[in-house]
Amino acid sequence: MSDTSSHGGGAGARPECVDVVVVGAGFAGLYALHGLRERGLTARGFEAGGDVGGTWYWNRYPGARVDIESLQYCFHFSPEIREEWFWSERFASQPELLRYFNYVADRFDLRRDIEFNTRVVSAVFNDVTNLWTVGTDKGDTVKATYCIMGTGLLSAPYSPPFPGVEDFQGEWYHSSRWPHEEVDLSGKRVGVIGTGSTGIQIVQTIAPEVEHLTVFQRTANYTTPGINRSLSKEEQRAFNARHDEWLGDVHGMFSGQTSEFPAPTKSALEDSAEERWRWLDERWVRGGHPQTLLYAYNDLMADQESNDALCDFVRAKIRSIVDDPETAELLCPKDQPMGAKRVPLEFGYFETFNRDNVTLVDVKSAPIERLTASGLRTGGAEYELDVIIFATGFDAITGAMLAIDIRREGGPALEELWADGPKNYLGLMVAGLPNLFAINGPGSAGIKANNVLGVEHGVEWAMNCLDHLVANGFDRIEAVEQAQEEWMAHSNEVAEASLVSKAGSWYTGANIPGKPQVYMPYFGGWDRYLKICEEAVAEGYRGFHLSRTSGKADRRTVAAQ
Ligand code: NAP
C-alpha cells in the first residue's frame, strides 16, 4: 500500500544549511515552523506523508475520530485560529481534523518550508562544526544547528508478523496506512484484528455496512462512552471568551484536561456502593474523555481496591448492553486495572455485538496462527474473509525516532543509548545528543494528558530556549547525564507508585515483541511536569549544559556558512 495523495510543498531552491531542521508536519512540526519563522530563524521541514496532519493524515480508517474534546484537542497558542475556526462536533472526525490542519498550514503559509513525501533517515551531529547533518530517503542532506523532532507518538505502525500474509488472496489494510481512495466494504466478509482504540472505532463504524464482521480480540478493553454531539458557534464563543482562564485551570491540573465535573477530592472507598454507582453513572451517561471517569475519585489510579470498584462498574455496564452472556463475558476486561492501558472512547461499540452479522473471536485462548489464501486460521478454526484489517497498533513513542539513525559523530546511535529503554531529561533532550529537541517524546507528560498541550509545551520550551541561547551568546545546549539519571529515576518512581505501570501496553513497550519495557510517559501529573520544566529554566537551565562553541554564536551566521 502506498501513499498516493501528496502536496508539493514549497517551491524554489532550498538552503543547504539552516538554523533548524524540523521533522514531521503534524501538530509539533507546524507549530515549530511557525515559531521559528516568528523569530526570523531559517528552517526546513520534512514530512514522510504527502501533506500536513501527522497522525490525522495517516489514520484515515473508517470511524477515525478524536477522543479528547475538540475544543481542547487543538492549538491554543493562536487567538486568530480560535476566533476563525469552529468545530462542528464535540469529538471531531478525522476529515474535520485534516481540514483543520490544512487551514492552519494555509493560515500561516507553512507549506513553503516543508518537503513532503520525504522521510528523514539520519541525523548526525558534528562537535567541531556544531551542526547536524540530516539525510533524507531522497539522498539529500541539509545541515542545521538544531533539530526539532516532531515525529509523533503513534506514527510507526506495527503489524504482527503473521505467516501467510503473502498467500492471502483478499485485500488487507493496516488502519494507519489506510488508502486515500474509498475502500468499499459493503457485502464483504471482513475481519478486524485488534480491539484497541482503533479497532473499536472501526468495528462500531463498519458493522452495518459489511456482510459479516469477525472481530479477533486478544485482550478486552475498558472503555467509556463518547456521547458525541454537534457544537454550536455560541458554545465555542463562550469557551473562547474564557479561554485563558481555562488554560490556567488545565495547567494546574494533574490530568491536563477539564471536564464538566470538578477535580475529585475524595477516595472511591469513602462512598458506599450505591453512592459510588450514582457518582460514576452520572459521569458515564454524560460521556467524555475517559479521564472523566478515571478522575471521578482521587485514588482510582493509585489504589487497587478503588480501581477494582471502577472496573466492576464498567463490567456491569458491558453486561447490561451485550445480549449474549458469553460474548459479554469475553468483552469484559479482567486482567488489568482500568487506566493502565489507554482507555478507548466508544460510540456504540458494545451494541455492535448484538448484531446478527458480528462475531467475536477470542484469540487469546486460540491465537492467530496464520493468514491463508482465503482468510485466517486460529488455533481453534479457519475463518473465510474477503478483507482483513490490522488494527494492531504502533511501535509507539520511540518507534519513529529510532527509525532514524540519530547519533553524535563517533558516538553511539540513539538505538544504543536507548537499548534498555528511552532515556532523556524532562522528556525534552537526550544526554549525548546536543541541540536536539524531542517534542512530546518519551518522558513527557502530554502523552497522558492532552497531546496537543504536550506538543505546545515542548515547542514553546524549545523556542524559549533558542531565545535564551541567542540572547546569551550560546549555540549549544545539552542535557547533563546526571540530571537525566535523576529524572529517569523520578519518572520511574511515580509510575511505579501508581497503577498505570501495572499492565503491558504501548505505554510500556509490551505490545512490541522484544522491545525494552519501561513505562515511557511521565505520570507525575501535568501540573507537576510544567512546574519542574519551568523551575529548571528559572534556575539557569538546571540539568543542561549551555556553551558557546564556534565564536559565531549567532545561528544565522552559522547557517549562512
Ligand atoms: P493498540 O491500543 O496498541 O491496540 C492494538 C490491538 O491489536 C490490541 O487489541 C492488541 O491486543 C492487538 N494485537 C496486537 N498484536 C496482536 C496479535 N499478534 N494477535 C492478536 N491481536 C493483536 O493500538 P491502537 O488501537 O491503534 O491504539 C493506539 C493508540 O492510538 C490508542 O491507545 C490511542 O492513544 C491512539 N488512538 C486514539 C484514537 C482516538 O480516539 N483519538 C483512535 C485510535 C487510536 P493486546 O491488547 O492483547 O495486545
Side-chain angles (χ1 to χ4, degrees):
M1 283 167 292
S2 67
D3 174 31
T4 49
S5 126
S6 70
H7 191 283
R14 308 278 190 183
E16 285 168 16
C17 189
V18 288
D19 296 310
V20 187
V21 158
V22 176
V23 188
F27 278 113
L30 292 189
Y31 187 27
L33 286 172
H34 174 66
L36 294 167
R37 203 182 282 165
E38 278 197 321
R39 284 163 174 76
L41 298 174
T42 56
R44 280 176 67 177
F46 295 97
E47 166 57 54
D51 208 340
V52 294
T55 199
W56 299 105
Y57 172 85
W58 293 106
N59 289 277
R60 48 183 74 218
Y61 57 80
R65 187 177 287 286
V66 69
D67 64 1
I68 296 176
E69 302 209 12
S70 313
L71 290 174
Q72 301 191 40
Y73 187 86
C74 57
F75 281 127
H76 294 285
F77 72 89
S78 159
E80 294 84 11
I81 294 180
R82 286 202 304 277
E83 292 308 317
E84 292 168 17
W85 181 267
F86 287 97
W87 294 105
S88 71
E89 292 179 284
R90 183 185 189 190
F91 297 102
S93 66
Q94 179 270 342
E96 185 168 17
L97 280 150
L98 208 50
R99 284 198 295 280
Y100 178 74
F101 274 97
N102 280 286
Y103 152 75
V104 172
D106 292 341
R107 180 72 174 73
F108 295 117
D109 187 22
L110 297 172
R111 282 197 181 84
R112 68 181 151 96
D113 290 332
I114 308 169
E115 282 150 77
F116 294 103
N117 297 306
T118 308
R119 187 174 286 280
V120 167
V121 295
S122 61
V124 179
F125 182 77
N126 181 292
D127 269 304
V128 179
T129 60
N130 199 44
L131 290 171
W132 285 93
T133 301
V134 176
T136 75
D137 61 355
K138 302 239 170 90
D140 298 328
T141 57
V142 54
K143 290 191 192 303
T145 313
Y146 302 96
C147 275
I148 295 182
M149 309 303 288
T151 40
L153 299 173
L154 298 156
S155 44
Y158 170 68
S159 298
F162 297 123
V165 174
E166 61 291 343
D167 301 336
F168 180 55
Q169 298 295 301
E171 304 154 46
W172 71 269
Y173 305 98
H174 190 286
S175 50
S176 188
R177 290 296 177 270
W178 199 260
H180 288 245
E181 56 277 11
E182 205 181 320
V183 177
D184 183 10
L185 298 174
S186 57
K188 299 204 170 132
R189 298 163 302 172
V190 179
V192 174
I193 306 173
T195 52
S197 300
T198 302
I200 284 173
Q201 290 189 332
I202 294 173
V203 165
Q204 69 203 6
T205 305
I206 67 172
E209 187 187 333
V210 303
E211 182 192 307
H212 194 89
L213 177 60
T214 310
V215 181
F216 297 95
Q217 172 190 278
R218 192 165 65 181
T219 311
N221 249 320
Y222 298 101
T223 63
T224 56
I227 320 281
N228 206 6
R229 61 180 172 79
S230 56
L231 285 178
S232 68
K233 289 196 170 172
E234 290 63 43
E235 201 173 340
Q236 291 179 72
R237 287 196 188 101
F239 180 84
N240 286 342
R242 56 172 303 274
H243 176 269
D244 293 351
E245 197 187 324
W246 168 82
L247 202 57
D249 290 347
V250 164
H251 287 340
M253 294 175 78
F254 184 95
S255 65
Q257 280 183 51
T258 53
S259 78
E260 60 194 290
F261 297 98
T265 51
K266 63 177 171 180
S267 155
L269 305 178
E270 283 176 50
D271 275 348
S272 68
E274 293 73 27
E275 285 167 338
R276 205 161 44 229
W277 179 278
R278 265 201 308 278
W279 185 264
L280 294 173
D281 200 41
E282 204 186 339
R283 285 153 181 78
W284 178 272
V285 297
R286 304 289 293 168
H289 187 270
Q291 294 204 0
T292 310
L293 216 57
L294 292 174
Y295 292 94
Y297 291 103
N298 65 12
D299 61 349
L300 290 173
M301 291 316 303
D303 185 277
Q304 188 63 58
E305 203 181 333
S306 293
N307 192 282
D308 287 344
L310 174 65
C311 296
D312 285 343
F313 170 83
V314 175
R315 282 190 289 262
K317 286 289 182 187
I318 295 171
R319 290 179 186 123
S320 75
I321 299 169
V322 180
D323 296 339
D324 174 48
E326 227 174 277
T327 308
E329 233 25 61
L330 212 48
L331 288 166
C332 282
K334 297 189 180 83
D335 49 4
Q336 36 166 314
M338 181 164 173
K341 285 187 168 197
R342 167 82 182 235
V343 176
L345 198 63
E346 56 85 21
F347 301 89
Y349 175 66
F350 295 108
E351 287 83 349
T352 306
F353 293 92
N354 294 335
R355 299 178 61 92
D356 290 339
N357 70 333
V358 177
T359 312
L360 181 66
V361 175
D362 174 19
V363 294
K364 183 162 267 172
S365 59
I368 294 170
E369 280 176 8
R370 61 174 299 118
L371 269 61
T372 63
S374 58
L376 182 157
R377 189 188 304 151
T378 70
E382 187 111 22
Y383 297 87
E384 300 274 311
L385 300 165
D386 303 309
V387 179
I388 300 178
I389 300 173
F390 285 66
T392 45
F394 302 87
D395 182 355
I397 305 181
T398 56
M401 267 181 79
L402 285 172
I404 303 171
D405 178 14
I406 302 174
R407 64 176 76 228
R408 193 178 195 145
E409 229 171 85
L414 182 63
E415 203 176 0
E416 293 162 70
L417 294 173
W418 285 1
D420 301 323
K423 288 185 179 167
N424 58 45
Y425 178 45
L426 304 183
L428 296 165
M429 301 194 91
V430 179
L433 300 173
N435 293 359
L436 182 127
F437 301 94
I439 306 301
N440 216 26
S444 56
I447 308 172
K448 286 294 293 174
N450 169 347
N451 283 319
V452 190
L453 285 183
V455 158
E456 287 194 317
H457 171 262
V459 170
E460 282 162 16
W461 196 94
M463 295 300 133
N464 293 334
C465 175
L466 293 180
D467 290 343
H468 178 83
L469 296 177
V470 170
N472 292 280
F474 297 123
D475 62 0
R476 187 180 292 187
I477 176 165
E478 188 172 357
V480 174
E481 187 84 41
Q482 174 70 19
Q484 175 167 288
E485 289 304 316
E486 285 167 13
W487 169 251
M488 292 311 301
H490 166 65
S491 188
N492 290 334
E493 192 186 337
V494 290
E496 282 303 317
S498 89
L499 299 173
V500 285
S501 56
K502 305 294 179 268
S505 71
W506 62 262
Y507 288 144
T508 64
N511 65 324
I512 305 295
K515 187 167 173 171
Q517 292 194 37
V518 180
Y519 190 79
M520 293 184 276
Y522 176 67
F523 195 63
W526 176 245
D527 48 352
R528 189 172 177 189
Y529 176 72
L530 295 184
K531 209 156 161 272
I532 292 172
C533 293
E534 265 168 37
E535 281 168 2
V537 172
E539 291 167 28
Y541 284 84
R542 172 174 40 80
F544 294 95
H545 180 65
L546 278 55
S547 57
R548 178 189 181 112
T549 60
S550 58
K552 307 181 189 81
D554 184 335
R555 293 180 310 287
R556 275 153 280 197
T557 317
V558 174
Q561 286 180 343

